[in-house]
Each structure stands twice: as C-alpha cells, then as structure tokens.
Amino acid sequence: MKYKNLINLCWISLATAMFFFFVFTDEKTVGNFLLTIIISFMYSFVLSMGNGLINDFLNKKFPWSEATTKRAIISIVSILIANIIMVYFCNYMNFVVFQKVATTEQYFSGKYNFTNWFTINIALLISAFLHAKGFMEELKKTSRKEVVEQKLIAKSANAQFESLKNQLDPHFLFNSLNVLSSLIDENPKQAQKFTASMSKIYRYVLEQKDKELVTVEDELEFAQTYCDLLKTRFEDSVDFEFNVRKEDYRRFVVPLSLQLLLENCIKHNFATSSKPLLIRIFSENDTLCIENNLQVREQIKESSGIGLANIVQRYSLLTKRNVFIEKSEDYFKVKLPILSAKPNVVNDITQDKDKAYERAQKRVKEIKSFYGNLISYCIVIPFLIIINLITNPDNIWFFFPMLGWGIGVVAHGMSVFEIGKNWEERKIREILEKRHKQ
C-alpha cells in the first residue's frame, strides 16, 4: 500500500472511532476510547488492505483491458469469498476477543448473522470502490497508450508515404535522361522532339507526385503523352492500345502508376519491328489493367525495383484493396484498383481511432453504470435496514427491496460483462441450422 493511502486510511479509522465512541458508547472512558480506536483500525486495515491486495493481484494477473469478462467474474467471486472471511474474522475479534460480549459457540450459533451480513455489505461497498478505481486507472493508462500508438502509426504511415512519393521525381528524371542520351546518338532530331515532350511530361510529374490520388482521366491523358514520347524513340517497335470505360474517368488511381508500369514494360521486354511490343491499357471490373505480350530480355543491370514495388506500397497505405499481378507464358498483366473516393492516410487512421474510442467510451459508460448501481445498492440497502430496524423491528420489510434490487444488479452485471452471451449465440446457431435442414 502506498504511503499516501496509508495515511488516509489512518485518518479515516480515527474519524470512524471517534464517531462510534461519542455516538454509541455509553461509558466514555479512556480505556473504551482506546478500545474503539483499536477495533476501528482493525476493521479499516483488514478490510481495506485485504480488498486492496486482491485488487492489485487481479490487476497483474487479469488486467481489465485484456480480459474484461473473465476479470469481472473472478472479481465478483473472489471479493465475495474474501469479504465473508475477513468480516467473520473481524467480528469474531471484536465481539469475542476484544469486547468479550460473546463466546465462540454463541458467535457461530447464528446470533451475530445479521451483524455479519450488514458488515459484509459495507465491505463489499469498499471493494466496489477499489475495483471501480482500479478499472478507471487501467482505462486511463490504456487510453493514453492507444493514443500514443495511433499517433506513432499516423506519423510513420505519413512519413513512409512521403518517402515513396519522393522516389518518383529522381527516378523519372534519371530514366528519361538515359533515354535522351540514347536518342542523341541514334537520332538527334528525335532527341529534340523528345526533349520538348519530356518538359511537358515532367511538369505533370512535379504537379502530381505530391498527391495521394489523381483521376483516371488525368492519369490516362498523361500516359498517352508518355506513350507518344516512347513512340518517338521506338517507332514501330512498340504499339499502344487504350480501352478504358468512360464511367471510370472520374474515379481515382495512384499518380504516375501508369508511367511506372509502362516504363517497366519497356525495361523488361525487347521490342523490334518484326516482333513489336503491344501494351494494352483497359478497364476490367473495378481495376485498371496494364498488359503486355511477354518478350523478356536479359537484364544487363540489376533492376532497382522502384516501379511496381512503389505502386504496391502506396496502394497498401491508401486502401485494403490489393494490386494484382498476373503472369503467363504469353503475357504480363498488372491490375490497379480504381477507387471511388479519395482516402487520406492520416485521416483514415484518425477515423479508425475515433471509432475505437467511441466503442471504448460506450463500454466505459456501461461498466461505470454497473458500478454505480452496485455502489448505490451497497449504500442504500444497509440504510433501509437501519431505518426498518429502528422504526419497526417487528415488521421486516427490507428483504423485498434487497432481493428485488439485488436480482437487478446481478442481471445488470451479466448484461454489461456479457456473461452467458456464448450460450445465446450457440442456441441461435442451432435454431438456424434446424430451419435450414427443414
């Protein structure tokens, strides 16, 4: 127990002792005052420390955040058993050992059953407070941890996405300069034309590379310009075919994905006038496909792997839909998901976090409601018992609210902690299976 809690417990014990001494003690002597203090400290320390140790042990073995239902069941069973034992011990020490108003036989004969039951309710009240406090502390720690983790995930995803986008600019420039270098030796006039086209294309690269998604229409327009540039270099060795549905034009794809895939087609396949490379760009279901006939060339240099890997990683950060790759003896095809909306990496993570937080918040309200109900029960019922015994001891009526409300508390706890839900689900499945067989 922490030092601060120990001091608070001492003050509470002293205040309780003074209250019972001045209100309920007939002979106000120093001896009786000391005896009242000893008894008060005994009850306070045994019940509070006992429940505190149980709560700490359960927090380590069965944390609320990891096993809420299991923890709730174990807590209810353990605190009931532990509090009954501790109360019987404290009352025995009080009436038999300290005050000597009863013998051991009288104590266990049933004479003090009501006193024991009343004290057990008080002990359960203390335990309910401790477990509710432990739950709230665990919830705060878990919430803070989740917020930090979500922030780290958002920052990591954003940084990764920026890194992938920044690969595009130097990658495109490097490959375009290689093509231009080859054209200068082969055909200077085409090199001039290539340079003019390249400036137009590079402007698009600079404009679009920082965007998460672009429209299919913009990407196709850019791809056609890039194909014209490739046609300038390869002439009849390469053919292009576009067949994309008009309704897909206003949807979205990853920017520069077509350029990277077209570049891959040229890089990994040979193209001649006698065996031209045919590259098709077309719609297929909810995907934009880039397909080429397979004419694999031997790689002199090891590929950098930026193109296709870059596209796959950027899609993975934006959507759960995958990039599909098909390869056979005759063709190679890549399917790019066409998206209907423009997701945002950080916003998606934030939205998921908000939904998780809303579910957690709803769950917390339900559990707090149960603990509030339980605490109210532990406070009000003993109060009703006292009123009943003081005003009309011959007519015992407190059993009715105690029993009715107690059943309600148990039902509330079973509902909140989903006790018995597995049985309900199994029964529903059995009924559905029987109907299906009929």
Side-chain angles (χ1 to χ4, degrees), residues 113-177:
N113 283 350
F114 174 77
T115 305
N116 289 331
W117 181 87
F118 180 79
T119 314
I120 287 170
N121 275 274
I122 301 299
L124 289 175
L125 172 63
I126 296 169
S127 184
F129 271 116
L130 288 172
H131 282 268
K133 182 182 177 184
F135 170 76
M136 295 307 297
E137 288 176 352
E138 181 83 10
L139 179 67
K140 287 179 181 178
K141 289 179 183 177
T142 306
S143 299
R144 283 197 295 266
K145 185 179 177 182
E146 286 181 355
V147 168
V148 171
E149 286 178 354
Q150 292 295 340
K151 285 181 179 178
L152 289 174
I153 291 170
K155 288 180 180 178
S156 176
N158 210 22
Q160 187 180 356
F161 196 79
E162 290 298 321
S163 175
L164 290 169
K165 290 191 293 185
N166 289 335
Q167 290 178 351
L168 303 177
D169 188 7
H171 179 68
F172 174 78
L173 181 60
F174 176 76
N175 285 283
S176 298
L177 290 175

Side-chain angles (χ1 to χ4, degrees), residues 243-249 251 283-287 338:
N243 187 21
V244 179
R245 294 190 300 260
K246 294 290 184 183
E247 54 266 31
D248 291 332
Y249 275 27
R251 298 172 75 187
S283 299
E284 186 176 287
N285 298 325
D286 281 338
T287 62
I338 302 177

Side-chain angles (χ1 to χ4, degrees), residues 171-236:
H171 179 68
F172 174 78
L173 181 60
F174 176 76
N175 285 283
S176 298
L177 290 175
N178 280 342
V179 174
L180 182 60
S181 176
S182 302
L183 279 176
I184 289 171
D185 294 333
E186 295 172 7
N187 193 329
K189 289 185 178 179
Q190 282 188 338
Q192 290 178 355
K193 187 177 179 182
F194 184 92
T195 304
S197 299
M198 180 180 153
S199 64
K200 181 180 178 181
I201 291 172
Y202 197 64
R203 186 183 300 112
Y204 178 86
V205 173
L206 293 174
E207 290 174 352
Q208 305 296 340
K209 75 179 183 69
D210 290 329
K211 295 181 179 180
E212 293 170 0
L213 293 171
V214 294
T215 62
V216 172
E217 184 178 16
D218 289 342
E219 190 69 7
L220 283 174
E221 186 179 343
F222 166 72
Q224 287 170 342
T225 306
Y226 186 69
C227 290
D228 292 339
L229 186 147
L230 294 174
K231 200 73 170 163
T232 302
R233 180 188 175 192
F234 293 99
E235 297 180 340
D236 296 334

Side-chain angles (χ1 to χ4, degrees), residues 6 64 115 123 138 158 195 264 278 310 429 438:
L6 192 63
W64 284 107
T115 305
E138 181 83 10
N158 210 22
T195 304
N264 272 1
L278 175 61
N310 182 287
R429 283 198 297 269
Q438 290 174 354

Side-chain angles (χ1 to χ4, degrees), residues 12-23:
I12 292 170
S13 301
L14 184 60
T16 306
M18 293 179 69
F19 173 77
F20 276 94
F21 177 75
F22 288 109
V23 175

Side-chain angles (χ1 to χ4, degrees), residues 253-375:
V253 291
V254 166
L256 305 179
S257 53
L258 291 183
Q259 182 268 325
L260 289 170
L261 293 174
L262 289 168
E263 188 180 287
N264 272 1
C265 293
I266 300 297
K267 185 192 300 182
H268 298 293
N269 296 275
F270 67 85
T272 62
S273 299
S274 57
K275 294 188 71 175
L277 182 67
L278 175 61
I279 301 174
R280 297 175 58 234
I281 299 174
F282 58 95
S283 299
E284 186 176 287
N285 298 325
D286 281 338
T287 62
L288 184 64
C289 300
I290 299 89
E291 180 183 297
N292 65 275
N293 55 323
L294 212 57
Q295 299 179 166
V296 182
R297 70 164 74 182
E298 293 183 4
Q299 298 291 326
I300 300 174
K301 294 181 180 180
E302 187 178 347
S303 173
S304 63
I306 288 177
L308 187 55
N310 182 287
I311 295 168
V312 171
Q313 289 180 64
R314 281 192 289 157
Y315 264 108
S316 69
L317 290 170
L318 291 170
T319 179
K320 293 180 180 179
R321 295 177 60 190
N322 297 319
V323 176
F324 289 99
I325 301 169
E326 293 181 11
K327 186 177 181 180
S328 70
E329 295 179 356
D330 301 322
Y331 70 90
F332 183 85
K333 182 195 290 187
V334 178
K335 296 181 178 181
L336 302 177
I338 302 177
L339 307 178
S340 301
K342 296 183 73 172
N344 182 282
V345 178
V346 178
N347 286 345
D348 283 353
I349 293 172
T350 304
Q351 287 173 5
D352 291 341
K353 182 184 73 174
D354 290 342
K355 289 179 181 177
Y357 179 77
E358 286 176 5
R359 289 194 297 269
Q361 195 176 38
K362 183 180 178 182
R363 180 73 174 154
V364 170
K365 286 182 179 178
E366 291 174 352
I367 296 174
K368 284 175 68 178
S369 173
F370 167 72
Y371 275 116
N373 194 6
L374 177 62
I375 291 169

